[in-house]
Amino acid sequence: MADTTRITVTLTAELVAALKELTDDVSGYVAEAAARELRRLVEADLQRHQEKHGVFTEAELADARSRIGGHTRAGASAGRSSR
């Protein structure tokens, strides 16, 4: 199990009610939604970087994978770089 930290988040009563209708694990649901949004933001940043500087080279991708423990994403852009 991953390490967790308990925090307090304030949500509207309506939002909490809607979440409780969707799931018995509101905390897990919110955690997954936050993780999904973080992934979306990182992907958007990477896309903007590639639009400005060109696609990542195979060497850059290999270096990044080694730094993050070998995790890969299907369909990652690779190819020449305009840097």
Side-chain angles (χ1 to χ4, degrees), residues 22-59:
L22 291 172
T23 181
D24 291 332
D25 182 11
V26 172
S27 182
Y29 189 92
V30 171
E32 178 54 36
R36 189 172 43 250
E37 180 64 8
L38 285 172
R39 286 190 301 272
R40 187 192 68 77
L41 291 170
V42 167
E43 287 179 5
D45 284 345
L46 291 172
Q47 182 64 37
R48 279 191 298 275
H49 178 86
Q50 289 187 96
E51 288 169 359
K52 183 176 181 179
H53 301 286
V55 297
F56 295 108
T57 66
E58 285 299 324

Side-chain angles (χ1 to χ4, degrees), residues 2-83:
D3 288 336
T4 61
T5 300
R6 181 178 294 267
I7 64 168
T8 301
V9 177
T10 303
L11 304 171
T12 64
E14 294 82 11
L15 182 54
V16 172
L19 288 169
K20 287 183 176 181
E21 285 184 23
L22 291 172
T23 181
D24 291 332
D25 182 11
V26 172
S27 182
Y29 189 92
V30 171
E32 178 54 36
R36 189 172 43 250
E37 180 64 8
L38 285 172
R39 286 190 301 272
R40 187 192 68 77
L41 291 170
V42 167
E43 287 179 5
D45 284 345
L46 291 172
Q47 182 64 37
R48 279 191 298 275
H49 178 86
Q50 289 187 96
E51 288 169 359
K52 183 176 181 179
H53 301 286
V55 297
F56 295 108
T57 66
E58 285 299 324
E60 289 169 325
L61 291 171
D63 180 54
R65 287 182 189 114
S66 71
R67 290 172 186 247
I68 61 172
H71 296 106
T72 61
R73 187 178 136 252
S77 295
R80 63 174 183 73
S81 173
S82 64
R83 281 175 251 140

